[in-house]
Amino acid sequence: MPASLPLDGVGIVEYGRDLPTRYAGFLLAELGAEVTALRASADDRHPVLDRRKHRAALGTVQAYWALEAADAVLADGPIDGQTQPNVVWCDVTAWGSTGPRRGERFDDALVSALAGIQAFQWSWSGAPVWLVTPLVGYFTGMLAALGVVAALFARLRGAPGQRLSVSALDAAFTLNSGRFVVAPGFEGSLSEQGDPHGPYPTYAIYQTSDGWLFVGALTMAFVVNLATCIGRVDLLSDPRLPESPMSPATPEAKAILREALAAAFRTRTTAEWVEALRAADVPCGPVQSRADALRDPAARA
């Protein structure tokens, strides 16, 4: 741990039960802030998020002094009322401060479903997929922490305290922004030309002669090493792959690259490939469970 952290000496009060608020407080605490979590009662739903935090019960002297000394307050919102003029206040809501859902409690699955996040995850059935990881909740917390740090920095430069508002709905749209972007060759939805195997052939699961292998080549240097290792350097200049072989843009190009990799990996055991790929500096690893691979109907044969 460094001798000092960026938010050393900054007092934060976290007043919330929901994941986004508590995750924002967790991130700020990890940056060195003195975070006091106010709880109406014992709540151990997210115990890891209370690391490095102080706990205080509502209505106690400790809670009063924490609020008096706070540089910023994170709260499940929307919360009405005035705050100290020089304090940064961040309302963290599910749906924003206006509209028919104002005041509803945060529900990651509901926000994800209505904002299209679950439809953004590809599946062989073509139906939406329930995501076990609460992506929206975590990302909302990230945005809240980022907003608080930016407002505190502005205050150091002479600005007054600010009232911030971060909603899970905004976070979901930010995560899903690729669905709303239109550009040449990119017609508004990342998932329109998606692939249940994953968007990148060089970052995927492949069958070997005796099992399954995960390859994680997501930089051009790793892709060059991968092509060299499997004896297919020709793929790097294949005219059928006019785009980067790391991320071919068309379904046809993806199919060409994926089949080349699949054919190569079927020739050796998982252990042999792991040894060869690691020696070639290609991120990889054996797949212990076939569950992910069996999502591919062809793998059931």
Side-chain angles (χ1 to χ4, degrees):
M1 292 289 290
S4 62
L5 292 169
L7 296 184
D8 278 349
V10 173
I12 307 287
V13 168
E14 175 203 297
Y15 177 32
R17 297 169 49 198
D18 293 336
L19 172 62
T21 303
R22 296 178 70 167
Y23 188 59
F26 167 80
L27 294 175
L28 295 171
E30 291 298 302
L31 290 172
E34 291 288 324
V35 178
T36 300
L38 305 186
R39 301 282 189 264
S41 60
D43 187 345
D44 296 323
R45 288 179 302 163
H46 309 290
V48 69
L49 300 185
D50 281 341
R51 187 172 66 183
R52 293 176 57 99
K53 297 177 185 177
H54 307 290
R55 297 283 292 269
L58 290 172
T60 63
V61 173
Q62 294 91 337
Y64 173 80
W65 284 114
L67 285 166
E68 284 294 304
D71 295 290
V73 176
L74 284 160
D76 291 346
I79 294 179
D80 299 321
Q82 298 297 318
T83 61
Q84 298 93 322
N86 205 36
V87 173
V88 173
W89 187 285
C90 184
D91 287 326
V92 185
T93 69
W95 304 98
S97 57
T98 61
R101 291 187 176 271
R102 180 185 187 275
E104 286 188 18
R105 292 294 303 277
F106 171 75
D107 183 322
D108 196 280
L110 182 59
V111 176
S112 296
L114 293 181
I117 296 293
Q118 293 172 343
F120 196 54
Q121 176 67 41
W122 268 84
S123 67
W124 285 101
S125 67
V129 176
W130 178 66
L131 303 180
V132 177
T133 302
L135 295 177
V136 173
Y138 285 131
F139 195 62
T140 306
M142 292 179 194
L143 293 180
L146 178 62
V148 167
V149 170
L152 289 172
F153 181 70
R155 199 180 70 170
L156 283 176
R157 297 171 63 88
Q162 300 182 51
R163 187 76 181 252
L164 313 175
S165 179
V166 176
S167 77
L169 183 62
D170 289 335
F173 284 141
T174 303
L175 276 172
N176 220 8
S177 58
R179 298 175 67 88
F180 311 109
V181 174
V182 176
F186 189 73
E187 302 304 324
S189 174
L190 289 175
S191 61
E192 284 177 3
Q193 294 186 0
D195 188 328
H197 288 289
Y200 308 113
T202 59
Y203 190 86
I205 294 173
Y206 288 94
Q207 190 169 13
T208 64
S209 65
D210 68 344
W212 301 90
L213 172 76
F214 171 76
V215 177
L218 270 184
T219 70
M220 200 58 209
F222 286 144
V223 170
V224 171
N225 293 346
L226 173 61
T228 303
C229 182
I230 68 172
R232 293 298 308 271
V233 178
D234 58 294
L235 293 171
L236 302 175
S237 57
D238 192 318
R240 298 173 299 169
L241 305 173
E243 310 87 2
S244 167
M246 181 178 67
S247 55
T250 66
E252 294 77 18
K254 287 182 182 181
I256 291 169
L257 183 55
R258 193 178 300 281
E259 180 50 41
L261 293 173
F265 289 130
R266 284 193 293 265
T267 63
R268 300 191 200 178
T269 67
T270 298
E272 289 171 336
W273 275 119
V274 167
E275 181 180 2
L277 289 167
R278 288 179 176 171
D281 192 25
V282 178
C284 66
V287 177
Q288 300 300 326
S289 170
R290 297 177 63 193
D292 286 336
L294 288 176
R295 289 181 301 172
D296 182 346
R300 300 192 183 104

